[in-house]
Amino acid sequence: MADKQGTTVKDVSSHAFVKMYAEHLKRQGKIELPSWVDLVKTATHKELCPFDQDWYYIRAASIARHVYLRPHTGIGGLQKKYGSRARRGTLTEHFHKANSGLIRHILKQLEAIGVVEKDGKGRIITSTGQQDLDRIAGNLKEKEEEEDEEEDSEDEGDDDDDDDDDDDDDDDDDDE
């Protein structure tokens, strides 16, 4: 069994962590979705709003992870992180920042549930927020190690079957 005590957000896959923390935020029910969540674009250069119904929770989880890894991150820095290229037809592409209002709204929601707080310049993760994020990371690492053990036990049983497959391939060559 894995030791969850020393596991931090840095020790697990970022994609898997964000998905798991987004599910946790959704289950917790403390983040209130705004009425405009299905209409808003994430940046001015985007054409449509996100397709995923849970995109707001995923973005909130990603922002919380980013503030955890880089303390004193402000809205401008997050705008640059979530910005992307703007396709301008026949003109050359340029980088555009993400919407600041959306990021600010998510940060206020995270402040309301006690995950982040303002600190001079930018936001930092609170001690309860850090405990929450590390607990999720520990659960994720434990889950990944259990899956690895299951795969290893399945691979050991499959080694005997590989010899039979090689004999079948030789028969196919004779038919040609």
Side-chain angles (χ1 to χ4, degrees):
M1 182 145 285
D3 182 26
K4 296 189 307 183
Q5 190 171 1
T7 305
T8 65
V9 173
K10 295 178 184 180
D11 299 331
V12 295
S13 165
S14 59
H15 178 72
F17 174 79
V18 168
K19 282 180 65 176
M20 193 168 202
Y21 191 59
E23 290 173 10
H24 171 74
L25 290 174
K26 187 175 182 179
R27 264 185 287 124
Q28 199 175 25
K30 292 183 180 177
I31 289 185
E32 296 180 21
L33 290 179
S35 60
W36 41 262
V37 75
D38 57 338
L39 303 173
V40 70
K41 300 187 301 181
T42 56
T44 56
H45 59 277
K46 299 283 185 182
E47 290 186 17
L48 300 170
C49 60
F51 293 120
D52 190 5
Q53 296 293 324
D54 297 333
W55 71 268
Y56 191 84
Y57 296 108
I58 293 171
R59 180 62 61 97
S62 178
I63 287 174
R65 180 183 177 276
H66 190 73
V67 172
Y68 178 96
L69 296 175
R70 294 189 59 149
H72 304 287
T73 301
I75 293 172
L78 291 169
Q79 275 184 284
K80 285 187 263 181
K81 181 188 181 334
Y82 294 107
S84 61
R85 66 185 173 132
R87 299 179 63 195
R88 307 183 309 156
T90 58
L91 302 174
T92 57
E93 298 169 346
H94 286 291
F95 179 81
H96 281 224
K97 295 179 180 179
N99 285 347
S100 61
L102 176 65
I103 293 170
R104 187 176 296 111
H105 191 272
I106 291 173
L107 282 171
K108 285 182 180 179
Q109 292 280 325
L110 290 173
E111 283 178 21
I113 64 172
V115 176
V116 298
E117 65 183 6
K118 287 184 181 179
D119 182 56
K121 48 182 206 178
R123 305 292 203 292
I124 60 170
I125 202 90
T126 62
S127 60
T128 57
Q130 183 175 354
Q131 289 173 356
D132 201 23
L133 290 157
D134 287 342
R135 184 175 40 80
I136 298 285
N139 291 342
L140 180 63
K141 189 167 186 177
E142 184 177 282
K143 187 176 180 182
E144 287 175 352
E145 288 178 358
E146 287 176 2
E147 290 175 0
D148 289 343
E149 289 174 3
E150 289 176 7
E151 288 177 6
D152 291 342
S153 64
E154 289 176 5
D155 290 342
E156 291 173 1
D158 292 341
D159 290 341
D160 297 335
D161 296 339
D162 291 341
D163 297 334
D164 297 336
D165 293 338
D166 294 337
D167 296 338
D168 294 340
D169 293 339
D170 295 337
D171 295 338
D172 294 338
D173 294 337
D174 295 336
D175 293 338
E176 292 177 3

